[in-house]
Amino acid sequence: MHVESLAGAHNEAGIYTWSLENDRLYGDTAIAALFGLEPAETIRGLPLMSYLDRVHTDDRPMLAALIAKAVEDGLPYNAEYRVQNALNEFELVMAVGRCFRDPAGNPSIYSGIIYPVEKLA
């Protein structure tokens, strides 16, 4: 991982889009830095679990439930949770997003932003 190139990106908000059909979550370099993932892989898309694995174990069940609910009901979601960033530090982030449906009404694309709230000691 190129930690040097991500050092400045960890203070920025990042944009993501998750294709439910093929379970690929595409994120920008700020998302890569926030989740401690390789930027090129993040841009090409990774499975959702690659991101959930970087979420603090105490926060994963809550986050998974909120995501599942947003996929089911299509309403906007927001959540605060801790994530292990590119510097291997836990950081509190805020995520907002929404699941959009295809013309047949099936959950299709989930998009949003994630931004850092604060670094944790």
Side-chain angles (χ1 to χ4, degrees), residues 10 12 18 21 23 33 39 43-44 77 82 88 91-92:
H10 76 275
E12 300 174 10
W18 175 35
E21 181 179 358
D23 186 32
I43 290 168
R44 284 192 301 268
Y77 114 111
R82 295 164 288 178
N88 284 320
E91 188 167 355
L92 185 64

Side-chain angles (χ1 to χ4, degrees), residues 53-105:
D53 285 346
R54 303 292 294 174
V55 173
H56 194 285
T57 55
D58 293 344
D59 297 344
R60 277 185 213 151
M62 172 271 308
L63 181 59
L66 287 172
I67 292 169
K69 182 180 182 312
V71 168
E72 181 180 315
D73 65 23
L75 297 174
Y77 114 111
N78 64 63
E80 274 191 4
Y81 54 92
R82 295 164 288 178
V83 65
Q84 194 168 9
N85 64 27
L87 303 174
N88 284 320
E89 301 168 335
F90 278 101
E91 188 167 355
L92 185 64
V93 297
M94 170 63 87
V96 295
R98 184 172 198 154
C99 186
F100 298 95
R101 302 196 178 305
D102 66 16

Side-chain angles (χ1 to χ4, degrees), residues 6-25:
L6 296 176
H10 76 275
N11 289 323
E12 300 174 10
I15 300 169
Y16 68 90
T17 298
W18 175 35
S19 170
L20 280 73
E21 181 179 358
N22 63 3
D23 186 32
R24 302 303 276 181
L25 196 150

Side-chain angles (χ1 to χ4, degrees), residues 22-60:
N22 63 3
D23 186 32
R24 302 303 276 181
L25 196 150
Y26 304 90
D28 60 15
T29 55
I31 293 291
L34 285 169
F35 283 83
L37 298 169
E38 185 64 40
E41 292 175 1
T42 306
I43 290 168
R44 284 192 301 268
L46 293 165
L48 177 63
M49 191 53 71
S50 297
Y51 296 86
L52 290 177
D53 285 346
R54 303 292 294 174
V55 173
H56 194 285
T57 55
D58 293 344
D59 297 344
R60 277 185 213 151

